[in-house]
């Protein structure tokens, strides 16, 4: 090996090894390229071996490869140190404290009206009722005529609604689902129908869109006693008042005979349900009119039935002390958060509402 080569190897060694030992990630890569890359200094020296005599090549080759091995090793050592430091830094920065309490997540809430529907569904399911729905847009026949409300009848004016150009209406009550069910099913029938209803009313206690729940029972030997017992059981369970006073007050609906308003006992001053001597109307009811059964092809001499319809906003406002109907539909998150229910605590009868 020539002195020249020996000097060169020494120069490389003396400048490269200390530089590698303190390099950061970027300069380490630069050093690797300048030493071992395609045109790197060590690579060049290895290439120069080709021009040497065999004897000289052997000695020079051993020395160059020795240097190459030293550099390769120190590059790897430095890289390992840098990688470990980088990992340490990341671990420190990304530390996760599993003992911290979770951040409060913005959980959704069940709207009080939906909750009322769930509670009513739970109560009537336990009594063997099926839950039905029907379209919001109804034919005049289903909403009025089949329910024994003929074209000229003043009850139509009591339920003024929105008429569509095709002659359909936005249903004024859930009673048309009585017709849809009676047309399609044979007694015994036991259904409830929670759903949206519409009338052209708008003030603090009336909204053009509101909700009702219909009930219909048809079978042999059904009496007014069944109606009162069913409503009493339902209302006491819903308000969680075991001996809730329920009063049926004579009234008129074209589709029931006899017809009765449904009142519950309460204290008007305190709002206490079941206490006091005041009465509050929460819906209509009656024995299904024979004409309604006949309109649907059911023989009224063989089958009798009762029906009722209650206002869901009214039931919800009474139970939760909500004063203004309009807030139900304003989607104010503060109101929803206050009156809403946890989606993780569904309405089930056995735990009570
Ligand atoms: N459909 C009636 C209303 O909306 C309520 C009702 C239902 C009355 C069923 C009797 C029987 O006013």
């Amino acid at each position: 090996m020539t002195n020249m080569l020996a000097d060169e190897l020494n120069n490389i060694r003396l400048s490269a090894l200390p530089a590698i030992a303190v390099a950061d990630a970027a300069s380490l890569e630069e050093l690797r390229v300048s030493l071992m890359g395609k045109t790197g200094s060590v690579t060049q020296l290895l290439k120069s071996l080709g021009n040497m005599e065999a004897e000289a090549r052997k000695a020079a080759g051993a020395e160059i490869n020795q240097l190459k091995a030293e550099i390769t090793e120190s590059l790897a050592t430095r890289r390992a140190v840098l990688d470990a430091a980088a990992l340490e830094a990341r671990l420190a920065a990304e530390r996760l404290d599993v003992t911290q309490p979770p951040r409060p997540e913005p959980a959704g809430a069940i709207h009080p009206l939906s909750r009322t529907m769930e509670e009513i569904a739970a109560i009537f399911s336990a009594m063997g009722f099926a839950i039905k729905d029907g379209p919001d847009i109804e034919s005049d026949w289903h909403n009025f005529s089949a329910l024994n409300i003929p074209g000229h009848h003043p009850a139509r004016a009591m339920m003024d609604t929105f008429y569509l150009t095709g002659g359909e209406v936005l249903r004024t009550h859930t009673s048309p689902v009585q017709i849809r069910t009676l047309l399609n099913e044979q007694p015994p029938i036991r259904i409830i129908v929670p759903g949206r209803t519409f009338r052209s009313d708008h003030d603090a206690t009336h909204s053009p869109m509101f909700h009702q729940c219909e009930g219909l029972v048809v079978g042999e030997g059904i009496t007014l006693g069944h109606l009162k017992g069913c409503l009493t059981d339902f209302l006491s369970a819903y308000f969680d008042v075991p001996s809730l006073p329920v009063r049926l007050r004579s009234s008129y609906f074209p589709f029931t005979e006899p017809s009765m308003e449904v009142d519950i006992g309460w204290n008007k001053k305190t709002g206490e349900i079941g206490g006091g001597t005041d009465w509050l109307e929460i819906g209509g009811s009656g024995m299904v009119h024979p004409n309604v059964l006949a309109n649907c092809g059911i023989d009224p001499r063989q089958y009798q039935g009762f029906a009722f319809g209650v206002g869901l906003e009214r039931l919800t406002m009474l139970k939760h002390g909500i004063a203004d109907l309009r807030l139900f539909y304003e989607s104010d998150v503060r109101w929803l958060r206050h009156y809403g229910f946890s989606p993780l605590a569904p309405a089930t009868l056995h735990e009570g509402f």
Side-chain angles (χ1 to χ4, degrees):
M1 188 176 62
T2 63
N3 282 343
M4 231 176 76
L5 180 61
D7 285 349
E8 203 169 344
L9 291 179
N10 228 15
N11 284 341
I12 293 176
R13 179 176 281 112
L14 287 177
S15 67
L17 294 185
I20 289 172
V22 299
D24 63 16
S27 50
L28 189 68
E29 178 59 11
E30 275 169 28
L31 282 166
R32 187 193 65 78
V33 173
S34 74
L35 293 161
M36 317 281 261
K38 252 193 193 144
T39 58
S41 46
V42 178
T43 313
Q44 294 300 328
L45 288 175
L46 282 168
K47 280 186 184 159
S48 71
L49 289 175
N51 309 324
M52 294 184 190
E53 298 296 322
E55 200 63 13
R57 184 192 300 148
K58 208 173 162 193
E63 286 296 328
I64 298 171
N65 277 317
Q66 165 66 27
L67 177 64
K68 185 182 170 185
E70 282 170 39
I71 288 175
T72 304
E73 201 199 317
S74 67
L75 282 172
T77 306
R78 184 62 189 163
R79 169 135 307 132
V81 169
L82 289 174
D83 286 352
L87 182 62
E88 275 311 310
R90 250 187 87 182
L91 287 175
E94 293 178 4
R95 177 168 305 141
L96 181 71
D97 182 354
V98 293
T99 67
Q100 275 203 337
R103 234 178 285 130
E105 291 288 336
I110 302 289
H111 193 285
L113 260 181
S114 305
R115 172 72 187 196
T116 295
M117 293 197 213
E118 285 174 12
E119 291 180 3
I120 292 179
I123 295 168
F124 280 101
S125 305
M127 293 199 267
F129 283 62
I131 299 161
K132 295 267 169 195
D133 60 15
D136 292 352
I137 297 175
E138 263 300 3
S139 74
D140 184 276
W141 187 79
H142 286 92
N143 194 79
F144 294 120
S145 310
L147 285 163
N148 204 32
I149 315 177
H152 54 80
H153 199 282
R156 289 203 181 207
M158 274 162 55
M159 297 189 189
D160 194 14
T161 184
F162 303 91
Y163 289 85
L164 282 84
T165 46
E168 302 101 335
V169 298
L170 294 186
R171 65 178 182 186
T172 56
H173 47 182
T174 41
S175 304
V177 186
Q178 287 190 34
I179 302 301
R180 292 181 175 275
T181 308
L182 291 170
L183 285 171
N184 285 314
E185 290 175 25
Q186 285 305 309
I189 289 169
R190 261 187 280 186
I191 59 152
I192 57 162
V193 185
R196 241 178 250 129
T197 47
F198 307 84
R199 291 185 199 177
S200 51
D201 275 339
H202 203 186
D203 58 40
T205 54
H206 294 89
S207 148
M209 190 273 308
F210 58 105
H211 296 76
Q212 288 190 337
C213 183
E214 195 82 4
L216 173 70
V217 171
V218 176
E220 278 176 295
I222 299 292
T223 71
L224 210 145
H226 296 127
L227 167 60
K228 183 156 189 189
C230 176
L231 282 171
T232 305
D233 279 356
F234 154 53
L235 292 165
S236 347
Y238 174 74
F239 286 111
D240 202 12
V241 175
S243 49
L244 182 71
V246 175
R247 179 175 80 173
L248 298 183
R249 179 167 41 88
S250 181
S251 184
Y252 173 74
F253 300 102
F255 35 91
T256 45
E257 182 59 35
S259 303
M260 286 138 300
E261 307 288 350
V262 184
D263 298 340
I264 56 171
W266 79 321
N267 182 330
K268 199 173 179 173
K269 274 216 184 78
T270 61
E272 189 198 342
I273 305 291
T277 52
D278 304 309
W279 294 99
L280 185 69
E281 180 189 322
I282 54 103
S285 69
M287 300 305 292
V288 179
H289 196 292
N291 288 354
V292 172
L293 295 173
N295 285 343
C296 300
I298 291 179
D299 182 357
R301 282 164 305 185
Q302 187 183 356
Y303 296 110
Q304 299 74 41
F306 67 78
F308 59 85
V310 290
L312 296 184
E313 280 80 356
R314 166 66 62 98
L315 288 181
T316 309
M317 289 166 80
L318 286 171
K319 183 162 175 173
H320 304 296
I322 302 172
D324 191 335
L325 173 78
R326 287 168 292 198
L327 297 171
F328 276 88
Y329 316 114
E330 280 181 7
S331 295
D332 182 330
V333 286
R334 293 165 304 179
W335 187 89
L336 291 169
R337 223 175 270 140
H338 181 78
Y339 287 107
F341 288 82
S342 164
L344 300 178
T348 57
L349 252 188
H350 69 275
E351 284 179 3
F353 303 135

